Amino acid sequence: MNRKLLTAEGYQRLQDELNDLVRKERPEITAIVSWAASLGDRSENADYHYNKRKLREIDRRIRYLTKLFEVAHKVEYSPEQDGKAYFGAWVELENDDGQIIKFRIVGDEEIYGCKDYISLQSPIAKACLGKSVDDEIQVQAPNSTKVWYITNISYTH
């Protein structure tokens, strides 16, 4: 894995997920698997098979998060970022049609499950980086170039 950037909030959320998996979920599922295995014939034991599969998924996620934290770099907010769009910023854009979109620029690991988070690698995030309020950005879409105006930048939601 290459170095992965995480916001301070994203880092903490993933750290909490790892702790929850290791200290709560895995022991609970392990107990269920042990109980189901003690019932005897495992070939037709749905509890055993379902929870064994769930245990493998938990172990896979624990391995992934553990490896992620080996290469993760937590990016803290800095007052020098004020007024410009950088990693971790909430950005609001408006186009000439009055359409408004708001999103947060985060690392690839943080976008899952958060519909208003976009990857630092996305074209719209790249176009916003280093820009200020009232700047015009151009984003290459599949069939055209879209023009947006930055209307707001903040580092708190």
Side-chain angles (χ1 to χ4, degrees):
M1 263 189 206
N2 296 332
R3 188 176 84 154
K4 302 287 185 176
L5 298 178
L6 297 170
T7 62
E9 296 86 3
Y11 189 93
Q12 187 61 50
R13 187 174 62 248
L14 292 172
Q15 190 79 46
D16 292 344
E17 178 186 354
L18 179 60
N19 288 337
D20 186 58
L21 288 171
V22 170
R23 295 177 187 199
K24 183 178 176 243
E25 283 192 52
R26 191 175 194 292
E28 287 174 3
I29 298 300
T30 302
I32 294 170
V33 168
S34 296
W35 166 80
S38 72
L39 297 177
D41 184 16
R42 296 178 191 165
S43 63
E44 295 183 22
N45 188 331
D47 281 333
Y48 177 80
H49 290 290
Y50 172 77
N51 287 295
K52 190 71 172 170
R53 186 177 318 119
K54 190 167 182 165
L55 187 60
R56 282 192 300 270
E57 291 169 3
I58 290 170
D59 286 343
R60 190 176 312 120
R61 184 69 176 161
I62 289 171
R63 274 192 308 277
Y64 176 78
L65 290 173
T66 301
K67 289 202 176 288
L68 172 65
F69 285 120
E70 291 173 4
V71 295
H73 178 72
K74 180 169 51 169
V75 179
E76 301 278 354
Y77 164 76
S78 172
E80 291 115 32
Q81 294 173 297
D82 279 341
K84 296 215 181 256
Y86 292 112
F87 186 81
W90 285 96
V91 180
E92 187 175 283
L93 303 177
E94 185 173 359
N95 64 11
D96 290 329
D97 299 330
Q99 181 184 10
I100 296 174
I101 58 173
K102 185 175 182 176
F103 53 83
R104 186 174 192 195
I105 302 171
V106 297
D108 296 338
E109 309 304 320
E110 295 182 67
I111 61 174
Y112 302 104
C114 300
K115 66 179 181 176
D116 53 353
Y117 281 18
I118 65 168
S119 168
L120 180 63
Q121 304 304 319
S122 69
I124 198 163
K126 286 180 178 179
C128 290
L129 291 177
K131 303 289 188 194
S132 303
V133 173
D134 295 330
D135 282 354
E136 175 184 296
I137 63 165
Q138 295 185 4
V139 180
Q140 189 63 42
N143 298 327
S144 64
T145 300
K146 304 282 184 182
V147 177
W148 295 88
Y149 304 95
I150 299 177
T151 58
N152 189 25
I153 300 170
S154 71
Y155 286 87
T156 59
H157 191 36

